[in-house]
Amino acid sequence: MISAVRLEAASAAVTVLSSRGEVTDWTARYFGQWWDVSSVEASSAGAGPVVVAVVDPSEYAQLTLQVHDGRHTKGVEYAGNLMLVARDEDDIIATSPDEAIAYRSSPSTGRVELSSIGGMELAVAAARMAREVIRGQLLRNGWVVLHASAVVRPEDGATLLAFGGKGAGKTATAMLLASAGWQLLANDRVLARPTGDRGVEVVPWPAAAALGLGLVDALGWGAAARGHLQEGGSFHPTQHDSVTESLLAGDFAPLWEDDRRRERKVQVWPDQFPELFGVELATGGNVAGLLFPRVEADASPSVSDVTHLLGLGEDDFVSGVTEDRYPDVFELARGVDGGGRRSARDEVSARLAVMPHLRVRLGHDVPASVAALEKVAGTV
């Protein structure tokens, strides 16, 4: 039996089809908290964008052979794995040996087919591809992808975006405000577009949220995370085993990769925020201000205007130029940069430039940091 779910975000839509229920269940769980997701009849997929995912070792082997069959092949990194990409007339074909997944994309129709030898790997890849199909449509329709966290005030939809490089405190800022009653819209990326004469509308970019062990503990979420695991629950499968072991042991000291350049973090499913931590999620909002956080362990939290900042830099847009784990090798955006068209980025940047800009210094004193952020929130 073929199961099907339809995803809709703003003006974009895609249907995911699979003979494996775990594939469509995974997609529904991953996106259902932030985008519109509904079960549909497989026959209703029609000619629109569709992702078809099947467990079929022979089809996987055949498509992998096609990739290597004398064609010009390009190796790219996609979702942290090596992917070999080639063309078959108008289609793009690819294989990811480490994941044992093969792909065929037909850019003119938005149809992407995936074949694999295993169900779980296929579920992850199909959901990821469905999100890329949605992104491709939105980029073509004038949306951009900002490298920012975002929280929404539930009473009026006013949205605060937090910008900064890795380690600046974007995630901490969003989680602190979320713990104070704001709704979480984005942990690290957000889709945005100009609206009306001067506004900027935002919608979520669904993804698992990466939270440092120290942050989880500081927010008072450690007991809930540990209890969830003790009761047989789990977090997102990308979470490193050492993080799970630390949570079970009640040890919230930071964990690092061997090169100490990357912290191992708790990987939280979207639906676990309201379920485990009491944090509500937002499905959209309108930008009211920009925050530029900086976290210093012994700092006294403070807020200051930085109205001299005019516009955003390249690093504030997610694109192939900056950081993008999902380059558009399947031509779903049809040539539009992964961060959006230049004209759209310039317009969003110009509109954000005239909104309130506030520099926020946060310390490890959570109540004091929350108080400083609530002061900021009262000004927008």
Side-chain angles (χ1 to χ4, degrees):
M1 178 178 177
I2 303 296
S3 59
V5 293
R6 182 174 176 82
L7 310 180
E8 295 181 76
S11 57
V14 64
T15 302
V16 178
L17 301 170
S18 182
S19 58
R20 295 293 190 98
E22 64 263 35
V23 172
T24 48
D25 288 347
W26 182 285
T27 298
R29 181 185 182 187
Y30 208 90
F31 299 108
Q33 297 291 315
W34 271 321
W35 289 351
D36 291 332
V37 178
S38 57
S39 296
V40 297
E41 294 294 329
S43 59
S44 69
V50 61
V51 172
V52 181
V54 298
V55 175
D56 189 330
S58 62
E59 185 171 329
Y60 163 73
Q62 181 179 6
L63 191 49
T64 296
L65 283 173
Q66 277 189 277
V67 173
H68 293 284
D69 188 20
R71 291 175 168 82
H72 173 71
T73 303
K74 178 174 67 174
V76 299
E77 184 175 326
Y78 194 91
N81 294 288
L82 172 65
M83 177 180 284
L84 303 175
V85 185
R87 299 201 74 95
D88 182 26
E89 297 183 348
D90 293 335
D91 288 353
I92 296 141
I93 56 177
T95 183
S96 179
D98 291 340
E99 298 177 292
I101 299 173
Y103 302 78
R104 177 180 291 275
S105 171
S106 301
S108 62
T109 63
R111 182 183 180 90
V112 184
E113 300 173 0
L114 293 79
S115 55
S116 176
I117 64 174
M120 180 52 66
E121 296 85 355
L122 184 66
V124 174
R128 183 172 63 215
M129 191 54 58
R131 185 176 59 193
E132 289 306 300
V133 172
I134 291 281
R135 173 161 67 157
Q137 294 174 63
L138 292 178
L139 293 178
R140 300 197 307 271
N141 290 338
W143 290 77
V144 303
V145 186
L146 293 170
H147 193 193
S149 66
V151 289
V152 177
R153 187 163 55 202
E155 306 92 85
D156 58 5
T159 302
L160 291 173
L161 301 179
F163 291 93
K166 289 184 182 297
K170 296 189 301 296
T171 296
T173 299
M175 298 305 159
L176 288 166
L177 279 167
S179 72
W182 286 60
Q183 296 174 331
L184 179 65
L185 185 131
N187 170 58
D188 187 61
R189 303 178 182 203
V190 63
L191 289 150
R193 70 167 177 180
T195 184
D197 292 334
R198 294 180 293 177
V200 175
E201 176 187 6
V202 288
V203 297
W205 168 270
L211 308 181
L213 285 162
L215 178 60
V216 170
D217 184 41
L219 290 167
W221 297 349
R226 185 184 186 195
H228 175 65
L229 293 173
Q230 290 174 327
E231 293 170 3
S234 62
F235 289 98
H236 194 275
T238 55
Q239 179 170 296
H240 197 276
D241 289 343
S242 63
V243 175
T244 302
E245 292 165 3
S246 289
L247 286 172
L248 285 169
D251 182 359
F252 296 95
L255 294 172
W256 299 91
E257 299 290 351
D258 292 340
D259 60 7
R260 295 194 62 82
R261 294 177 61 185
R262 184 180 178 90
E263 185 179 356
R264 292 174 178 169
K265 298 184 177 183
V266 184
Q267 302 290 331
V268 183
W269 283 89
D271 62 358
Q272 290 176 330
F273 278 106
E275 176 186 311
L276 297 180
F277 307 135
V279 169
E280 295 303 316
L281 303 182
T283 58
N286 293 286
V287 181
L290 284 66
L291 306 179
F292 297 87
R294 181 177 178 182
V295 178
E296 300 174 359
D298 300 323
S300 296
S302 62
V303 179
S304 59
D305 288 318
V306 284
T307 52
H308 60 280
L309 290 177
L310 298 176
L312 303 176
E314 286 294 323
D315 288 349
D316 294 313
F317 293 89
V318 175
S319 69
V321 178
T322 55
E323 187 276 319
D324 195 345
R325 285 168 49 83
Y326 316 104
D328 190 21
V329 295
F330 298 109
E331 299 182 5
L332 301 171
R334 300 180 196 172
V336 179
D337 180 82
R341 288 192 174 92
R342 170 55 62 184
S343 58
R345 282 186 281 174
D346 288 347
E347 182 62 22
V348 167
S349 183
R351 293 186 180 205
L352 294 180
V354 298
M355 295 184 185
H357 287 50
L358 296 166
R359 190 179 302 283
V360 183
R361 185 165 66 172
L362 303 172
H364 285 187
D365 181 336
V366 169
S369 293
V370 169
L373 289 170
E374 286 184 311
K375 179 181 178 181
V376 169
T379 67
V380 301

